[in-house]
Amino acid sequence: MPTYFYPLMDINLTDKPLECLRLGALGVIAHMLKLPADTAVVRYLVNTSCLQHCTKAIEIGSTESKTIAVFIINKIMSTGEGLQYCCVLPDRFFFIDGLLKKLLVYLTAMGTPCPSLFNLLVGCYTNLSYKPRTRRGLRRYLPAMLFNGTFACLLAEDPAAERCRQQLIKTLEMK
């Protein structure tokens, strides 16, 4: 059933009615990942290229679409199987890292950055840091804007994001 929603996530236009369709499709997929994330659901979504379909929403969609797409990616990476899928090949890691960096740049361009999107982005980086191989990659390619005060106002307003960022720092210090 979810594969019927993927074409709606891939719409190349940003018209309001089409954006509503994209949001609805993303919402269905996100609802499948509500707590606790079922391994079978994650396996299904990974095997049907859900992450690639979230890309279009991240590249073209509204802030709400971007947030839900990152929620989906974060939930997939919060499971062992999903994280393994994202980190097993360097191409996948760099693909996801590139998406996350684009979103950080997007947040800096916003007049008022979206706190929930930022929180999810930090969560994605924290999840990626749990794998030793990707941890080494993150040490080399981690965006400085997570640590140089660019998002200080968001971190001050959201203790959960700050805790997640501190966990990321702690994990990156591990061997």
Side-chain angles (χ1 to χ4, degrees):
M1 178 79 172
T3 54
Y4 292 112
F5 292 102
Y6 291 160
L8 299 174
M9 294 165 57
D10 291 340
I11 295 172
N12 283 326
L13 303 171
T14 57
D15 297 342
K16 183 75 171 168
L18 297 174
E19 182 62 25
C20 289
L21 282 173
R22 183 182 357 260
L23 281 168
L26 287 164
V28 169
I29 304 300
H31 187 71
M32 293 173 61
L33 293 166
K34 290 287 184 183
L35 289 175
D38 185 6
T39 320
V41 170
V42 170
R43 185 178 311 118
Y44 176 80
L45 292 175
V46 164
N47 289 337
T48 58
S49 304
C50 180
L51 294 175
Q52 286 78 3
H53 294 288
C54 287
T55 303
K56 190 61 78 175
I58 289 172
E59 291 174 351
I60 293 177
S62 65
T63 302
E64 292 82 12
S65 290
K66 291 176 190 323
T67 304
I68 297 171
V70 174
F71 172 82
I72 292 167
I73 293 169
N74 190 32
K75 292 300 277 185
I76 287 173
M77 286 195 307
S78 69
T79 67
E81 190 165 332
L83 186 58
Q84 178 65 25
Y85 174 83
C86 294
C87 298
V88 72
L89 297 173
D91 290 347
R92 288 185 193 156
F93 165 72
F94 286 117
F95 173 75
I96 291 171
D97 182 51
L99 282 176
L100 299 177
K101 285 177 180 170
K102 282 180 190 176
L103 286 168
L104 286 172
V105 170
Y106 172 77
L107 281 175
T108 60
M110 293 176 77
T112 307
C114 177
S116 57
L117 180 56
F118 178 72
N119 194 355
L120 289 166
L121 289 170
V122 175
C124 286
Y125 275 113
T126 303
N127 286 332
L128 284 172
S129 73
Y130 292 141
K131 287 283 191 186
R133 186 173 175 190
T134 55
R135 189 179 312 134
R136 288 189 299 273
L138 284 175
R139 285 185 193 123
R140 293 182 68 187
Y141 301 108
L142 194 66
M145 62 182 82
L146 283 177
F147 304 102
N148 66 6
T150 302
F151 297 108
C153 62
L154 289 175
L155 291 167
E157 293 173 7
D158 188 358
E162 178 58 29
R163 278 192 307 275
C164 202
R165 189 178 76 103
Q166 291 301 323
Q167 179 62 41
L168 173 61
I169 293 168
K170 184 178 173 182
T171 308
L172 289 174
E173 291 171 351
M174 294 171 51
K175 292 280 180 191

